């Protein structure tokens, strides 16, 4: 894989007669934040969903950490070390913040059928281990004081952070963030940028789809630009900002 954690090769996908992903290839090195940008309809979310296993590509290959993921369902992709968030928050509103985050750790938890047979002592021990690990995640993101609050009672910006915590609870090698700044005000967007930077600093690789150019250019090590399903540019934020086609067609366009 020539040092790549994620490798996407010759990816194609159609919806009906629409070619939404057209021969896209890229890699993502360990320990970086990589952004995917482009106007509405460029194929960003479709590419994201293909990597996450939401549906299989028509053709092409997706490899992660030396393993071929192409065609695997989402739960098996997650078990390989990839976790994600969504454009719209998908929390359980009647559960506490801590309980929501504990749900995200199920792929790493040892509790299951055999553990149940081992008896309640093992089950309680496992729950305590998960609870402690998830509390550490909340503390890292600065929301440990919200652990006992109902997730549905929190303001939207805090719910975004809880969803981020739930994704991190799975201890992923690669974190997929689908428009993490969507719906956030400028202050909350700055806080989200700082959180993503801190996640990268702890060694987690991040792939982010985002419309907010200030966030993308501020935190990304590399940026990939899509247009009508095709990749038209890839490079550092400075290189992308200096690309005449990107500047004229994308960075200067209304991307809302």
């Amino acid at each position: 894989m020539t040092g790549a954690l994620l490798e996407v090769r010759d990816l194609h996908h159609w919806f009906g007669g629409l070619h939404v992903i057209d021969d896209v290839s890229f890699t993502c090195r360990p320990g970086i934040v990589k952004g995917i940008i482009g106007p509405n309809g460029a194929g960003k979310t479709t590419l994201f969903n293909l990597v996450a296993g939401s549906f299989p590509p028509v053709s092409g290959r997706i490899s992660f950490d030396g393993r071929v993921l192409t065609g695997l369902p989402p739960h098996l992709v997650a078990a390989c070390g990839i976790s994600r968030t969504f454009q719209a928050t998908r929390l359980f509103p009647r559960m506490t913040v801590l309980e929501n985050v504990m749900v995200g750790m199920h792929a790493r938890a040892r509790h299951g059928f055999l553990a149940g047979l081992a008896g309640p002592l093992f089950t309680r021990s496992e729950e305590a281990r998960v609870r402690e690990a998830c509390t550490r995640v909340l503390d890292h993101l600065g929301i440990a004081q919200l652990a006992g609050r109902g997730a549905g009672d929190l303001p939207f910006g805090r719910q975004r952070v809880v969803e981020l915590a739930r994704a991190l609870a799975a201890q992923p090698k690669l974190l997929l963030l689908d428009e993490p700044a969507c719906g956030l005000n400028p202050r909350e967007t700055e806080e989200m940028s700082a959180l993503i930077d801190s996640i990268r600093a702890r060694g987690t690789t991040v792939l982010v789809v985002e419309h907010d150019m200030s966030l993308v250019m501020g935190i990304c090590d590399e940026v990939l630009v899509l247009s009508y399903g095709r990749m038209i540019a890839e490079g550092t934020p400075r290189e992308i900002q200096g690309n005449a086609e990107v500047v004229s067609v994308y960075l200067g366009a209304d991307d809302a």
Side-chain angles (χ1 to χ4, degrees), residues 3 26 44-45 48 62 72 86 94 110 121 137 140 145-146 151 158 167 170 176 188 228 245 253:
F26 70 93
K44 304 182 300 296
T45 296
F48 208 73
I62 302 171
L72 289 183
F86 297 87
R94 296 189 179 184
R110 294 188 297 267
L121 182 60
V137 173
H140 166 56
Q145 74 280 5
L146 301 178
R158 294 293 89 183
L176 308 178
E188 292 168 336
Y228 297 105
E245 183 177 10

Side-chain angles (χ1 to χ4, degrees), residues 13-169:
H13 195 74
W14 287 266
F15 286 125
L18 182 63
H19 202 173
V20 291
I21 296 295
D22 186 0
D23 196 28
V24 171
S25 298
F26 70 93
T27 61
C28 190
R29 295 178 288 110
I32 70 167
V33 177
K34 185 159 190 160
I36 301 174
I37 66 172
N40 288 333
K44 304 182 300 296
T45 296
T46 299
L47 177 59
F48 208 73
N49 286 331
L50 291 172
V51 172
S54 297
F55 36 78
V58 171
S59 64
R61 178 185 176 98
I62 302 171
S63 302
F64 175 73
D65 202 19
R67 178 177 179 179
V68 176
L69 299 185
T70 314
L72 289 183
H75 70 282
L76 292 182
V77 171
C80 291
I82 297 178
S83 189
R84 70 169 299 178
T85 64
F86 297 87
Q87 289 183 28
T89 56
R90 298 189 178 185
L91 300 177
F92 299 100
R94 296 189 179 184
M95 294 171 60
T96 68
V97 166
L98 180 58
E99 288 168 344
N100 269 275
V101 177
M102 289 173 69
V103 169
M105 200 175 173
H106 70 89
R108 295 290 180 181
R110 294 188 297 267
H111 177 60
F113 177 70
L114 294 179
L117 292 179
L121 182 60
F122 184 94
T123 303
R124 288 196 299 270
S125 174
E126 174 69 357
E127 181 179 353
R129 183 185 72 85
V130 170
R131 184 178 295 272
E132 180 181 357
C134 291
T135 300
R136 288 197 298 268
V137 173
L138 292 175
D139 185 59
H140 166 56
L141 296 182
I143 57 171
Q145 74 280 5
L146 301 178
R149 292 276 300 277
D153 298 331
L154 299 179
F156 182 76
R158 294 293 89 183
Q159 290 186 23
R160 279 288 195 196
V161 181
V162 174
E163 187 174 45
L164 181 59
R166 185 171 63 185
L168 287 174

Side-chain angles (χ1 to χ4, degrees), residues 216-255:
V216 170
M217 297 303 169
I219 65 170
C220 289
D221 301 290
E222 297 176 358
V223 180
L224 182 153
V225 188
L226 293 178
S227 172
Y228 297 105
R230 295 188 64 88
M231 189 179 76
I232 65 163
E234 185 179 23
T236 66
R238 182 180 294 274
E239 290 168 341
I240 295 302
Q241 288 174 320
N243 184 295
E245 183 177 10
V246 173
V247 170
S248 63
V249 178
Y250 299 100
L251 297 185
D254 181 6
D255 219 13

